[in-house]
Amino acid sequence: MPNSSTYFLPQGFRTAGIHCGIKSNQSARDLAVFLSESDCIAAGVFTTNKVCGAPVQISRERVPGENVRAIVINSGNSNACTGEQGLADARTMTARIAEEINSPAESVLVCSTGVIGVPLPVERICDHVPELFENLGETPEHLQHAAQAMMTTDTFPKIISRYVNLDGGTITLTGVAKGAAMIAPNMATMLGVVMSDVKLTPAQAEDLLPIAVNQSFNCISVEGHTSTSDTVLLMANGQSNVGLDDKGDLAQFQAAVTTLCTDLAHMIIRDAEGAEHFITVDVEGARTFEDAEKIAHEVANDVLVKTAVTGNDPNWGRIVSACGRTGCIESEAEVSLAINNHAVFKKGKPVNFDENVVSKAMKTGEVILDITLNQGNGRWRIWTCDLTSEYVRLNSEYTT
Amino acid sequence: MPNSSTYFLPQGFRTAGIHCGIKSNQSARDLAVFLSESDCIAAGVFTTNKVCGAPVQISRERVPGENVRAIVINSGNSNACTGEQGLADARTMTARIAEEINSPAESVLVCSTGVIGVPLPVERICDHVPELFENLGETPEHLQHAAQAMMTTDTFPKIISRYVNLDGGTITLTGVAKGAAMIAPNMATMLGVVMSDVKLTPAQAEDLLPIAVNQSFNCISVEGHTSTSDTVLLMANGQSNVGLDDKGDLAQFQAAVTTLCTDLAHMIIRDAEGAEHFITVDVEGARTFEDAEKIAHEVANDVLVKTAVTGNDPNWGRIVSACGRTGCIESEAEVSLAINNHAVFKKGKPVNFDENVVSKAMKTGEVILDITLNQGNGRWRIWTCDLTSEYVRLNSEYTT
């Protein structure tokens, strides 16, 4: 559990998280709201899966937006594969929240995460909206409650806050995420909410978020499965009155958002069920960055590479073979590999290394696979985790 | 262990399998030869992995061929990632066999399977060639010995023989395979040898084999990993004097080879380490067969689908989501799914089914996932197995 003193809300934001009765556990929060007292510039990045939840379809219609006031999120039910009724239910959820703040339904965004194919108990949600609003507040505890209400199989809420000093003054950036990156039973979704009191233009918001997501949440992978509901939303209400007028400020804010998202992404990997190792796959020297990305993904998602790491086995053969499978190299002669800074394979040839030493380094739980090609300047980095018997147990013993 | 009376060698073929000392277990065979007393028409299909073993590179140069006499195979060492020395060693192996039969080295094909990156003990192999030839024979036992000498982590040799009645007479077809489809520790390879006394033209051989392999060995998948050494070789010596002169005969022989390879492929899946379920993924109604293939692969290699099957969980959400991830469908409304003939999802909507009944049907260990789209006539079928804690244990506890 993160220390609550390390996070806080930007000016003008309040949050709440309560139990409304979707999760069977009475003490588990399952309904959250992230509310700004004034209109926000909002942007969103959504799953590329063609099978996507109703909330994804509704929120996608409403961003980018200039008059967004709130995000409502429920856990325990993803409202996916629920047809026309699901779309109507997602709309109803946003309308009910909007009613409380005298705004149009379009000013509310929505996310749902949990089991799929089960009708959303939308009445139960609507009935609890007054209680949700009674619980609104701006303290770290209120933020934590909202983060908890997004959780499914997460073992801890994932929250990060940062102050960013810009030319015009200091702004606040707070991010919340949930998800065990599809590692969890039954379609666990990755959700992220980024709030700031910075003053953005719609174009800035729309440009900023995909860049940040691409270098953070899209660089984590547990088993390569994109869920039906993955969503990252950004709300900026401008209450700091600090804008991003010059290029330097824009770059600095972009970096801050990207770092925030990266830190949240790492928290997701560290919370991946059954995981014992945090793995960084770092590819450089590829022909293009697309090639580097392809190689990094292939290695990161390779079941044999993952299980080798589980066993602290510096099995370079599995890694080099995964590189070969991408078609991005002509032969192993182009490949060098280091595991936790120990060279194990150099330009196509095995290096004589002490397996016990490298294995011991892997036992720390932090594993860095440096793959260096001699083709060009393409680089990409991905974070992932290993594959353990516990993962299989969790995902096979869970019954719908 | 298959009943030895069910398999036999085509006319003019002899085989042997002995222990030459590559495997540490003294009673484990690790050197095999498949020999025809006269020249064969030969064809080959090889791994598409850019990182490929030296034997793959040497054999690839020698097929298609008209004067092939033998295939030599060792297990325990894959002679991959071994550089120039590896290529020289693979050539030496073939030259040493060729010397015994007074043929040019080019008349011998070679395969190696086992650990990678370790120099091949080629002298040990050469020293044992006389013993190998002393053990040549044409009985089912000789065939079994050769099949055993190809094995790495296989628990039983995989051998199938068939008589095929053609217009000109009866021919014999015998196939041998090894491989736990990359499920085994350290790059287990899939190898296949198909022998026949049919009279083929080089063009027929070259056309036949890829079609058979594409519909059989390429339709099995344990975790989607193409190894560095996968090879299927065909030798036909014509000693039956029965050719494939008319179209009907050609089609019949093609079907026989495809069926033989399919049966061998199924034996590989059934021998996959840790596997508890044999899974058939059957896609029809896709826009094109390429789309159907893409969907079938995505579902078959999905770790969440595999673990759901392990737990006998009819978790249609994971399967439908995997379909969506391919981009080959526009939405779940195009998808219907049956598990072991029980409809669970129909045109985008969950079907109300008895989970206990479907789960019980899955417990038989045979699981059929029928995915039906409403787009066109594209179909594809893949066979795979589930993912168990035992798989993870085997692949993580193995140490290089």
Side-chain angles (χ1 to χ4, degrees), chain A residues 56-78:
Chain A
V56 169
Q57 296 174 59
I58 301 302
S59 295
R60 196 182 264 150
E61 289 170 7
R62 298 176 181 181
V63 289
E66 300 187 38
N67 307 101
V68 168
R69 287 285 308 281
I71 302 170
V72 58
I73 303 182
N74 75 273
S75 55
N77 184 315
S78 71

PDB file of all heavy atoms in Angstrom, chain A residues 56-78:
ATOM      1  N   VAL A  56     -16.087   1.828 -23.588  1.00  0.00           N
ATOM      2  CA  VAL A  56     -15.055   2.283 -24.520  1.00  0.00           C
ATOM      3  C   VAL A  56     -15.707   3.006 -25.688  1.00  0.00           C
ATOM      4  O   VAL A  56     -15.272   4.086 -26.101  1.00  0.00           O
ATOM      5  CB  VAL A  56     -14.208   1.087 -25.033  1.00  0.00           C
ATOM      6  CG1 VAL A  56     -13.318   1.504 -26.194  1.00  0.00           C
ATOM      7  CG2 VAL A  56     -13.380   0.494 -23.898  1.00  0.00           C
ATOM      8  N   GLN A  57     -16.789   2.430 -26.192  1.00  0.00           N
ATOM      9  CA  GLN A  57     -17.463   3.035 -27.342  1.00  0.00           C
ATOM     10  C   GLN A  57     -18.061   4.394 -26.979  1.00  0.00           C
ATOM     11  O   GLN A  57     -18.003   5.334 -27.774  1.00  0.00           O
ATOM     12  CB  GLN A  57     -18.536   2.075 -27.867  1.00  0.00           C
ATOM     13  CG  GLN A  57     -17.928   0.775 -28.400  1.00  0.00           C
ATOM     14  CD  GLN A  57     -18.984  -0.252 -28.798  1.00  0.00           C
ATOM     15  OE1 GLN A  57     -19.813   0.007 -29.653  1.00  0.00           O
ATOM     16  NE2 GLN A  57     -18.962  -1.409 -28.157  1.00  0.00           N
ATOM     17  N   ILE A  58     -18.636   4.494 -25.782  1.00  0.00           N
ATOM     18  CA  ILE A  58     -19.253   5.764 -25.366  1.00  0.00           C
ATOM     19  C   ILE A  58     -18.182   6.829 -25.092  1.00  0.00           C
ATOM     20  O   ILE A  58     -18.264   7.957 -25.580  1.00  0.00           O
ATOM     21  CB  ILE A  58     -20.133   5.548 -24.111  1.00  0.00           C
ATOM     22  CG1 ILE A  58     -21.241   4.522 -24.394  1.00  0.00           C
ATOM     23  CG2 ILE A  58     -20.713   6.871 -23.612  1.00  0.00           C
ATOM     24  CD1 ILE A  58     -22.172   4.877 -25.530  1.00  0.00           C
ATOM     25  N   SER A  59     -17.159   6.461 -24.318  1.00  0.00           N
ATOM     26  CA  SER A  59     -16.119   7.453 -23.991  1.00  0.00           C
ATOM     27  C   SER A  59     -15.380   7.919 -25.240  1.00  0.00           C
ATOM     28  O   SER A  59     -15.017   9.095 -25.359  1.00  0.00           O
ATOM     29  CB  SER A  59     -15.122   6.869 -22.978  1.00  0.00           C
ATOM     30  OG  SER A  59     -15.760   6.605 -21.751  1.00  0.00           O
ATOM     31  N   ARG A  60     -15.169   6.973 -26.161  1.00  0.00           N
ATOM     32  CA  ARG A  60     -14.438   7.306 -27.398  1.00  0.00           C
ATOM     33  C   ARG A  60     -15.155   8.415 -28.178  1.00  0.00           C
ATOM     34  O   ARG A  60     -14.513   9.258 -28.797  1.00  0.00           O
ATOM     35  CB  ARG A  60     -14.315   6.038 -28.244  1.00  0.00           C
ATOM     36  CG  ARG A  60     -13.300   6.106 -29.335  1.00  0.00           C
ATOM     37  CD  ARG A  60     -13.304   4.815 -30.146  1.00  0.00           C
ATOM     38  NE  ARG A  60     -12.286   3.874 -29.714  1.00  0.00           N
ATOM     39  CZ  ARG A  60     -12.405   2.550 -29.800  1.00  0.00           C
ATOM     40  NH1 ARG A  60     -13.516   2.010 -30.264  1.00  0.00           N
ATOM     41  NH2 ARG A  60     -11.412   1.770 -29.423  1.00  0.00           N
ATOM     42  N   GLU A  61     -16.487   8.417 -28.115  1.00  0.00           N
ATOM     43  CA  GLU A  61     -17.269   9.451 -28.810  1.00  0.00           C
ATOM     44  C   GLU A  61     -17.081  10.829 -28.171  1.00  0.00           C
ATOM     45  O   GLU A  61     -17.337  11.845 -28.797  1.00  0.00           O
ATOM     46  CB  GLU A  61     -18.764   9.125 -28.736  1.00  0.00           C
ATOM     47  CG  GLU A  61     -19.227   7.944 -29.570  1.00  0.00           C
ATOM     48  CD  GLU A  61     -20.678   7.542 -29.229  1.00  0.00           C
ATOM     49  OE1 GLU A  61     -21.328   8.277 -28.447  1.00  0.00           O
ATOM     50  OE2 GLU A  61     -21.119   6.512 -29.734  1.00  0.00           O
ATOM     51  N   ARG A  62     -16.689  10.857 -26.885  1.00  0.00           N
ATOM     52  CA  ARG A  62     -16.715  12.123 -26.135  1.00  0.00           C
ATOM     53  C   ARG A  62     -15.341  12.769 -25.952  1.00  0.00           C
ATOM     54  O   ARG A  62     -15.230  13.807 -25.290  1.00  0.00           O
ATOM     55  CB  ARG A  62     -17.376  11.873 -24.771  1.00  0.00           C
ATOM     56  CG  ARG A  62     -18.806  11.416 -24.951  1.00  0.00           C
ATOM     57  CD  ARG A  62     -19.495  11.056 -23.657  1.00  0.00           C
ATOM     58  NE  ARG A  62     -20.860  10.606 -23.957  1.00  0.00           N
ATOM     59  CZ  ARG A  62     -21.741  10.236 -23.038  1.00  0.00           C
ATOM     60  NH1 ARG A  62     -21.422  10.258 -21.756  1.00  0.00           N
ATOM     61  NH2 ARG A  62     -22.950   9.839 -23.392  1.00  0.00           N
ATOM     62  N   VAL A  63     -14.300  12.093 -26.469  1.00  0.00           N
ATOM     63  CA  VAL A  63     -12.973  12.719 -26.443  1.00  0.00           C
ATOM     64  C   VAL A  63     -12.419  12.747 -27.855  1.00  0.00           C
ATOM     65  O   VAL A  63     -12.750  11.872 -28.646  1.00  0.00           O
ATOM     66  CB  VAL A  63     -11.980  11.960 -25.530  1.00  0.00           C
ATOM     67  CG1 VAL A  63     -12.345  12.138 -24.079  1.00  0.00           C
ATOM     68  CG2 VAL A  63     -11.853  10.506 -25.914  1.00  0.00           C
ATOM     69  N   PRO A  64     -11.569  13.705 -28.193  1.00  0.00           N
ATOM     70  CA  PRO A  64     -11.191  14.832 -27.340  1.00  0.00           C
ATOM     71  C   PRO A  64     -12.387  15.742 -27.069  1.00  0.00           C
ATOM     72  O   PRO A  64     -13.284  15.872 -27.886  1.00  0.00           O
ATOM     73  CB  PRO A  64     -10.123  15.546 -28.176  1.00  0.00           C
ATOM     74  CG  PRO A  64     -10.374  15.115 -29.578  1.00  0.00           C
ATOM     75  CD  PRO A  64     -10.945  13.741 -29.510  1.00  0.00           C
ATOM     76  N   GLY A  65     -12.391  16.359 -25.868  1.00  0.00           N
ATOM     77  CA  GLY A  65     -13.502  17.214 -25.481  1.00  0.00           C
ATOM     78  C   GLY A  65     -13.002  18.420 -24.703  1.00  0.00           C
ATOM     79  O   GLY A  65     -11.887  18.414 -24.170  1.00  0.00           O
ATOM     80  N   GLU A  66     -13.841  19.447 -24.646  1.00  0.00           N
ATOM     81  CA  GLU A  66     -13.440  20.678 -23.947  1.00  0.00           C
ATOM     82  C   GLU A  66     -14.300  20.941 -22.731  1.00  0.00           C
ATOM     83  O   GLU A  66     -14.062  21.878 -21.978  1.00  0.00           O
ATOM     84  CB  GLU A  66     -13.544  21.876 -24.901  1.00  0.00           C
ATOM     85  CG  GLU A  66     -12.651  21.731 -26.113  1.00  0.00           C
ATOM     86  CD  GLU A  66     -12.634  22.981 -26.965  1.00  0.00           C
ATOM     87  OE1 GLU A  66     -12.646  24.092 -26.408  1.00  0.00           O
ATOM     88  OE2 GLU A  66     -12.594  22.844 -28.205  1.00  0.00           O
ATOM     89  N   ASN A  67     -15.360  20.131 -22.570  1.00  0.00           N
ATOM     90  CA  ASN A  67     -16.294  20.393 -21.479  1.00  0.00           C
ATOM     91  C   ASN A  67     -16.509  19.154 -20.625  1.00  0.00           C
ATOM     92  O   ASN A  67     -17.609  18.887 -20.171  1.00  0.00           O
ATOM     93  CB  ASN A  67     -17.638  20.877 -22.055  1.00  0.00           C
ATOM     94  CG  ASN A  67     -17.469  22.043 -22.996  1.00  0.00           C
ATOM     95  OD1 ASN A  67     -17.488  21.869 -24.210  1.00  0.00           O
ATOM     96  ND2 ASN A  67     -17.236  23.214 -22.432  1.00  0.00           N
ATOM     97  N   VAL A  68     -15.448  18.426 -20.429  1.00  0.00           N
ATOM     98  CA  VAL A  68     -15.583  17.206 -19.632  1.00  0.00           C
ATOM     99  C   VAL A  68     -15.476  17.554 -18.152  1.00  0.00           C
ATOM    100  O   VAL A  68     -14.619  18.339 -17.740  1.00  0.00           O
ATOM    101  CB  VAL A  68     -14.512  16.173 -20.048  1.00  0.00           C
ATOM    102  CG1 VAL A  68     -14.449  15.033 -19.049  1.00  0.00           C
ATOM    103  CG2 VAL A  68     -14.823  15.647 -21.454  1.00  0.00           C
ATOM    104  N   ARG A  69     -16.386  16.989 -17.356  1.00  0.00           N
ATOM    105  CA  ARG A  69     -16.394  17.303 -15.929  1.00  0.00           C
ATOM    106  C   ARG A  69     -16.015  16.115 -15.059  1.00  0.00           C
ATOM    107  O   ARG A  69     -15.507  16.282 -13.946  1.00  0.00           O
ATOM    108  CB  ARG A  69     -17.812  17.783 -15.515  1.00  0.00           C
ATOM    109  CG  ARG A  69     -18.203  19.172 -15.997  1.00  0.00           C
ATOM    110  CD  ARG A  69     -17.508  20.264 -15.185  1.00  0.00           C
ATOM    111  NE  ARG A  69     -17.685  20.089 -13.758  1.00  0.00           N
ATOM    112  CZ  ARG A  69     -18.780  20.414 -13.040  1.00  0.00           C
ATOM    113  NH1 ARG A  69     -19.804  20.966 -13.663  1.00  0.00           N
ATOM    114  NH2 ARG A  69     -18.842  20.197 -11.745  1.00  0.00           N
ATOM    115  N   ALA A  70     -16.336  14.896 -15.530  1.00  0.00           N
ATOM    116  CA  ALA A  70     -16.134  13.755 -14.630  1.00  0.00           C
ATOM    117  C   ALA A  70     -15.860  12.466 -15.387  1.00  0.00           C
ATOM    118  O   ALA A  70     -16.178  12.331 -16.568  1.00  0.00           O
ATOM    119  CB  ALA A  70     -17.374  13.583 -13.759  1.00  0.00           C
ATOM    120  N   ILE A  71     -15.251  11.534 -14.651  1.00  0.00           N
ATOM    121  CA  ILE A  71     -15.102  10.160 -15.134  1.00  0.00           C
ATOM    122  C   ILE A  71     -15.738   9.260 -14.088  1.00  0.00           C
ATOM    123  O   ILE A  71     -15.413   9.358 -12.894  1.00  0.00           O
ATOM    124  CB  ILE A  71     -13.614   9.768 -15.307  1.00  0.00           C
ATOM    125  CG1 ILE A  71     -12.914  10.731 -16.282  1.00  0.00           C
ATOM    126  CG2 ILE A  71     -13.484   8.325 -15.763  1.00  0.00           C
ATOM    127  CD1 ILE A  71     -11.399  10.564 -16.307  1.00  0.00           C
ATOM    128  N   VAL A  72     -16.658   8.401 -14.516  1.00  0.00           N
ATOM    129  CA  VAL A  72     -17.245   7.437 -13.588  1.00  0.00           C
ATOM    130  C   VAL A  72     -16.730   6.050 -13.965  1.00  0.00           C
ATOM    131  O   VAL A  72     -16.638   5.711 -15.154  1.00  0.00           O
ATOM    132  CB  VAL A  72     -18.796   7.510 -13.598  1.00  0.00           C
ATOM    133  CG1 VAL A  72     -19.372   7.262 -14.988  1.00  0.00           C
ATOM    134  CG2 VAL A  72     -19.394   6.517 -12.599  1.00  0.00           C
ATOM    135  N   ILE A  73     -16.333   5.285 -12.968  1.00  0.00           N
ATOM    136  CA  ILE A  73     -15.747   3.967 -13.216  1.00  0.00           C
ATOM    137  C   ILE A  73     -16.357   2.949 -12.263  1.00  0.00           C
ATOM    138  O   ILE A  73     -16.463   3.210 -11.059  1.00  0.00           O
ATOM    139  CB  ILE A  73     -14.212   3.986 -13.002  1.00  0.00           C
ATOM    140  CG1 ILE A  73     -13.565   5.043 -13.919  1.00  0.00           C
ATOM    141  CG2 ILE A  73     -13.605   2.606 -13.219  1.00  0.00           C
ATOM    142  CD1 ILE A  73     -12.052   5.115 -13.816  1.00  0.00           C
ATOM    143  N   ASN A  74     -16.776   1.818 -12.811  1.00  0.00           N
ATOM    144  CA  ASN A  74     -17.154   0.725 -11.914  1.00  0.00           C
ATOM    145  C   ASN A  74     -16.243  -0.471 -12.143  1.00  0.00           C
ATOM    146  O   ASN A  74     -15.711  -0.658 -13.238  1.00  0.00           O
ATOM    147  CB  ASN A  74     -18.612   0.299 -12.135  1.00  0.00           C
ATOM    148  CG  ASN A  74     -18.771  -0.503 -13.407  1.00  0.00           C
ATOM    149  OD1 ASN A  74     -18.967   0.070 -14.481  1.00  0.00           O
ATOM    150  ND2 ASN A  74     -18.674  -1.817 -13.311  1.00  0.00           N
ATOM    151  N   SER A  75     -16.050  -1.258 -11.116  1.00  0.00           N
ATOM    152  CA  SER A  75     -15.312  -2.511 -11.239  1.00  0.00           C
ATOM    153  C   SER A  75     -16.249  -3.665 -10.896  1.00  0.00           C
ATOM    154  O   SER A  75     -17.293  -3.472 -10.283  1.00  0.00           O
ATOM    155  CB  SER A  75     -14.088  -2.507 -10.326  1.00  0.00           C
ATOM    156  OG  SER A  75     -14.468  -2.247  -8.990  1.00  0.00           O
ATOM    157  N   GLY A  76     -15.858  -4.876 -11.319  1.00  0.00           N
ATOM    158  CA  GLY A  76     -16.690  -6.050 -11.043  1.00  0.00           C
ATOM    159  C   GLY A  76     -17.522  -6.479 -12.238  1.00  0.00           C
ATOM    160  O   GLY A  76     -18.020  -7.603 -12.292  1.00  0.00           O
ATOM    161  N   ASN A  77     -17.657  -5.591 -13.221  1.00  0.00           N
ATOM    162  CA  ASN A  77     -18.427  -5.898 -14.429  1.00  0.00           C
ATOM    163  C   ASN A  77     -17.913  -4.985 -15.543  1.00  0.00           C
ATOM    164  O   ASN A  77     -17.904  -3.765 -15.391  1.00  0.00           O
ATOM    165  CB  ASN A  77     -19.929  -5.650 -14.184  1.00  0.00           C
ATOM    166  CG  ASN A  77     -20.787  -6.045 -15.382  1.00  0.00           C
ATOM    167  OD1 ASN A  77     -20.473  -5.747 -16.526  1.00  0.00           O
ATOM    168  ND2 ASN A  77     -21.874  -6.751 -15.113  1.00  0.00           N
ATOM    169  N   SER A  78     -17.467  -5.586 -16.647  1.00  0.00           N
ATOM    170  CA  SER A  78     -16.817  -4.779 -17.696  1.00  0.00           C
ATOM    171  C   SER A  78     -17.817  -4.209 -18.704  1.00  0.00           C
ATOM    172  O   SER A  78     -17.434  -3.438 -19.576  1.00  0.00           O
ATOM    173  CB  SER A  78     -15.796  -5.618 -18.452  1.00  0.00           C
ATOM    174  OG  SER A  78     -16.466  -6.554 -19.259  1.00  0.00           O
TER     175      SER A  78
END
